[in-house]
Every structure is written in C-alpha cells, then in structure tokens.
C-alpha cells in the first residue's frame, strides 16, 4: 500500500462538492479514503499548519484543497504551504502554478499564453492599476470585456462598447480604497518635493476581446479520461452565461467541444480541469479554466459522461459520484506519471 497525503483546511474540510452535507463541508472524507484504498493508496489527512517538510518522505504525493474565503486570506496561506512543499521536492497535485491561477484571472491568462497553442489565445491584456490601462487605451478594440481578477459566476464581468465605458468600469473595478493610507500619501507631497502619489486604483483586472453572437457556452469537466458537459444559456438580454441558472444536459454534444477539451487538458497535463468553452463559426473559444476547487454540479448532476475511443467520443449513460471520480483521476494520473 502506497501513501498519499491530503491537506485539509482549518475546519478540517477537503475539496468542494455541490451536494455536500452539512453545507460547504466539502467531500466525504471517509468515502474518499475507501476509494483511494481501491487503487492501493493509503490516504492520510493533515492540517497544513501541522505539516513540516521533514515529517513525511518526499516521495509521498500531496493532494490539497483550496479556499475562496473572504479576502482569500486562508487561500494565500495554502499557496505558501503548497509552494514550499513543491520547492522542497514534493509532488503536489495539482502543481503550485495551477493553484496560483485559482480565482486569479491574471495568472490564468499567463498560463494560457505560456502553455496553450495560438488557437486558444484570447487577446487578453492585464493591468495592475487604472493608470496602466489609461496609458494603453489607444490599443484597446471595442467592444471588449472587462473582468476583475477575482470572482465567479459572472460576477465582476462587464461589457464596454466605447472608451468612456471602459474607463468608467475600470475605475470601479480597480478602486483600492484605504482612507487612512490615502490621507498619509496625500500629506507626503507637502513633505517631499517631487513626490508622486500612489494610485488609488490598484486592484488588478483584465480586458479581453468580445465574441459577438454567442447565445450560450459549455461547462466541461475533465476527470482524467471522463468528460462531463453542461450547456449554459445566456441570461436574457445579456452576453454572460455563467451563473445564469439556464442549464441543460444535451443528449448530443458537439465532438469539436470534446476534442478541444481533450487537447487543452493535455497541454496542462493535470488530473482534472474545469473549462468554459464556446463555439462560433466552427471555432472553439476557451473562455476560462480552473484546476482546483471548481464547481462540481456538472459531474454530480450529469446523467452521462463521455470517453475518448478510436471512433471518437463515446457517451456512457451512468451517474457519477464525485469522491469516486476524484480518487480514480488522481490514482490514474499517478499511475502514468510516477
């Protein structure tokens, strides 16, 4: 029996699950232990604060949860722990760079640029403050989409059709209010000749090209070699589909979507991934991706999944259990990479 470590959070939760009980309690940890045993893995739960780099052999893989707590303070702590483990030689699943991209659209776009082929690029421009956008406003094409770096379910996503609109939206999403520090900074210009005040709009954001004519997109979850697909209709008189609640599981799914999901997953080489995909005029667009702590309702509610065969993607009518598929995906990934 091989050993594997699972890092829980401060409330002893692991992972996220749509149909969890009690609410926001994560995966069923006892069930997860049993499932890992089926693949000859002995799963041990550890709290990140009690873990030391010397407490376990370096050949023991580490899986972990993430967090979307208020202000992402505990998530930041998990990032420190996971990055430290990775630097020490541990195999973390997923690797730290994918945790960094969790609910961080700036780094998500950097990963897109670094690891995906040109056809999945999205002409994204990212900014750390309002002033950076103002200096680059001449190269922005309209209409465009502005997104806050954080946020899910279409929160923090806006459409700008002209220059005045993008500046108004950018001022709103980038505002980094701190009256105490702004007063101190305001006073510095009287004490120090030539001093330039800090920006009061330092929340990072991205600007992306707008894809006109889309009426829906697809949420595709890939758990190693199983594909779960959810159709998401746009909100009425809105360009956004995420969080609309207008969801359905189509009896037939476009094979091009599944092929794109397979290719993208292969580029990142992760045990599981969540993709937001759209299609227009035979072109597949990757809108966003997440690698950990993403919504699982697509898997838990889906009446089927797809598997790749020599004849394309085969639909298998079968309900899936999240803990079963998580343990299987991690185990199969380790089998092919260790």
């Amino acid at each position: 029996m091989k050993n594997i470590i699972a890092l829980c959070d401060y409330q002893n939760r692991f992972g996220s699950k749509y149909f969890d009980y009690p609410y926001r309690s994560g995966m069923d940890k006892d069930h997860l232990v049993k499932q890992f045993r089926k693949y000859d893995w002995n799963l041990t739960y550890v709290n990140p604060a009690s873990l030391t780099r010397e407490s376990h052999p370096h050949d023991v893989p580490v899986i972990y949860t993430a967090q979307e707590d208020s202000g992402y303070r505990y998530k930041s702590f998990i990032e420190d722990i996971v990055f430290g483990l990775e630097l020490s030689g541990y195999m973390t699943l997923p690797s730290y760079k994918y945790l960094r991209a969790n609910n961080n659209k700036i780094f998500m776009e950097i990963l897109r640029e670094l690891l995906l082929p040109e056809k999945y690029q999205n002409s994204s421009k990212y900014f750390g403050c309002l002033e950076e956008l103002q200096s680059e406003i001449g190269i922005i094409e309209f209409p465009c989409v502005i997104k806050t770096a954080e946020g899910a379910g279409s929160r923090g996503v806006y459409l700008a059709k002209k220059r005045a609109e993008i500046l108004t939206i950018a001022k709103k999403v980038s505002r980094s209010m701190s009256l105490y520090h702004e007063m101190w900074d305001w006073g510095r210009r009287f004490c120090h000749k030539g001093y330039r005040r800090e920006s009061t709009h330092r929340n990072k954001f991205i600007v992306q090209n707008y894809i006109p004519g889309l009426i829906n997109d697809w949420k595709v979850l890939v758990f190693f070699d199983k594909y779960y697909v959810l159709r998401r209709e746009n909100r009425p008189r809105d360009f956004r589909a995420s969080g609309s609640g207008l969801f359905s599981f189509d009896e037939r799914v476009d094979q091009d979507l599944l092929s794109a999901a397979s290719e993208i997953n292969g580029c990142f080489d992760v045990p599981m991934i969540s993709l937001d995909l759209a299609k227009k005029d035979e072109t597949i667009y990757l809108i966003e991706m997440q690698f950990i702590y993403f919504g699982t309702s697509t898997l838990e509610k889906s009446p089927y999944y797809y598997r790749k065969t020599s004849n394309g993607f085969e639909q298998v009518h079968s309900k899936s259990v999240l803990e079963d598929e998580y343990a299987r995906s991690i185990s199969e990934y380790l089998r092919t990479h260790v």
Side-chain angles (χ1 to χ4, degrees):
M1 185 82 69
K2 299 161 290 188
N3 292 316
I4 186 169
I5 299 169
L7 299 184
C8 297
D9 66 10
Y10 65 96
Q11 291 187 335
N12 207 29
R13 299 172 296 192
F14 183 83
S16 59
K17 183 178 181 180
Y18 186 80
F19 289 117
D20 56 1
Y21 184 83
Y23 175 63
R24 298 192 73 178
S25 59
M27 295 188 201
D28 184 327
K29 295 193 298 176
D30 292 336
H31 190 157
L32 209 54
V33 168
K34 294 177 182 177
Q35 291 303 309
F36 270 100
R37 281 195 191 131
K38 290 183 178 180
Y39 300 97
D40 202 32
W41 288 100
N42 178 40
L43 178 64
T44 302
Y45 294 106
V46 178
N47 181 277
S50 64
L51 180 72
T52 63
R53 292 188 295 276
E54 295 77 26
S55 59
H56 296 277
H58 281 49
D59 60 351
V60 176
V62 179
I63 57 177
Y64 58 91
T65 189
Q67 268 289 354
E68 293 184 0
D69 58 314
S70 177
Y72 300 95
R73 292 174 175 83
Y74 195 77
K75 176 182 180 287
S76 176
F77 173 67
I78 294 173
E79 286 188 0
D80 293 338
I81 297 296
V82 171
F83 194 29
L85 288 170
E86 197 168 290
L87 290 174
S88 300
Y90 285 90
M91 181 182 191
T92 59
L93 294 177
S95 67
Y96 169 74
K97 60 179 176 287
Y98 298 121
L99 171 61
R100 179 69 181 174
N102 176 246
N103 223 347
N104 179 353
K105 294 184 177 68
I106 303 295
F107 199 71
M108 186 190 303
E109 292 305 310
I110 292 173
L111 286 181
R112 182 203 300 266
E113 294 171 1
L114 291 174
L115 300 178
L116 292 183
E118 179 63 30
K119 61 183 175 179
Y120 297 121
Q121 300 302 325
N122 207 15
S123 301
S124 298
K125 300 174 181 63
Y126 30 86
F127 303 98
C129 63
L130 175 64
E131 288 78 3
E132 289 178 346
L133 169 66
Q134 290 172 329
S135 67
E136 299 285 329
I137 194 70
I139 65 173
I140 303 294
E141 296 182 3
F142 297 95
C144 61
V145 177
I146 304 98
K147 296 181 179 180
T148 56
E150 301 168 351
S154 79
R155 293 193 304 272
V157 180
Y158 306 88
L159 179 65
K161 298 179 180 179
K162 52 187 178 181
R163 176 172 176 155
E165 288 181 350
I166 192 175
L167 290 174
T168 298
I169 295 169
K171 284 180 182 178
K172 174 183 176 181
V173 302
S174 65
R175 183 69 171 104
S176 51
M177 176 174 282
S178 175
L179 184 59
Y180 174 81
H181 288 97
E182 287 177 20
M183 292 295 291
W184 270 105
D185 198 48
W186 183 79
R188 289 189 181 107
R189 63 177 184 169
F190 297 104
C191 301
H192 306 282
K193 185 178 180 180
Y195 174 72
R196 298 178 63 182
R197 293 181 60 191
E198 290 186 358
S199 170
T200 56
H201 295 79
R202 300 188 315 279
N203 282 327
K204 57 189 179 183
F205 60 97
I206 64 173
V207 178
Q208 293 179 326
N209 60 312
Y210 170 64
I211 308 169
L214 295 180
I215 60 173
N216 70 281
D217 68 12
W218 284 268
K219 170 70 72 177
V220 182
L221 301 188
V222 184
F223 274 66
F224 193 69
D225 60 350
K226 291 185 179 181
Y227 299 74
Y228 302 84
V229 185
L230 178 70
R231 182 187 181 97
R232 307 189 301 186
E233 301 290 340
N234 286 11
R235 305 169 187 222
R237 297 176 296 280
D238 200 334
F239 72 101
R240 297 168 295 183
S242 178
S244 69
L246 303 173
F247 305 148
S248 64
F249 293 97
D250 292 357
E251 185 59 33
R252 292 185 178 275
V253 171
D254 193 322
Q255 295 276 312
D256 289 345
L257 288 170
L258 297 168
S259 296
S262 176
E263 182 180 14
I264 293 167
N265 184 54
C267 291
F268 290 120
D269 190 25
V270 288
M272 59 205 70
I273 192 171
S274 171
L275 303 170
D276 294 351
L277 299 175
K279 184 177 183 180
K280 182 187 177 186
D281 300 331
E282 305 307 314
T283 299
I284 302 295
Y285 296 91
L286 172 61
I287 301 172
E288 289 184 6
M289 63 275 191
Q290 293 287 355
F291 309 90
I292 188 171
Y293 210 78
F294 48 77
T296 60
S297 63
T298 299
L299 181 151
E300 295 180 71
K301 292 181 177 181
S302 179
Y304 60 80
Y305 60 84
Y306 282 88
R307 255 192 171 141
K308 194 172 185 179
T309 70
S310 58
N311 297 319
F313 289 87
E314 175 190 11
Q315 188 184 72
V316 180
H317 277 266
S318 176
K319 293 286 288 184
S320 296
V321 177
L322 176 63
E323 289 85 355
D324 297 0
E325 296 308 321
Y326 181 86
R328 185 189 66 84
S329 297
I330 294 292
S331 300
E332 288 297 311
Y333 182 87
L334 288 171
R335 182 181 62 81
T336 58
H337 287 74
V338 176

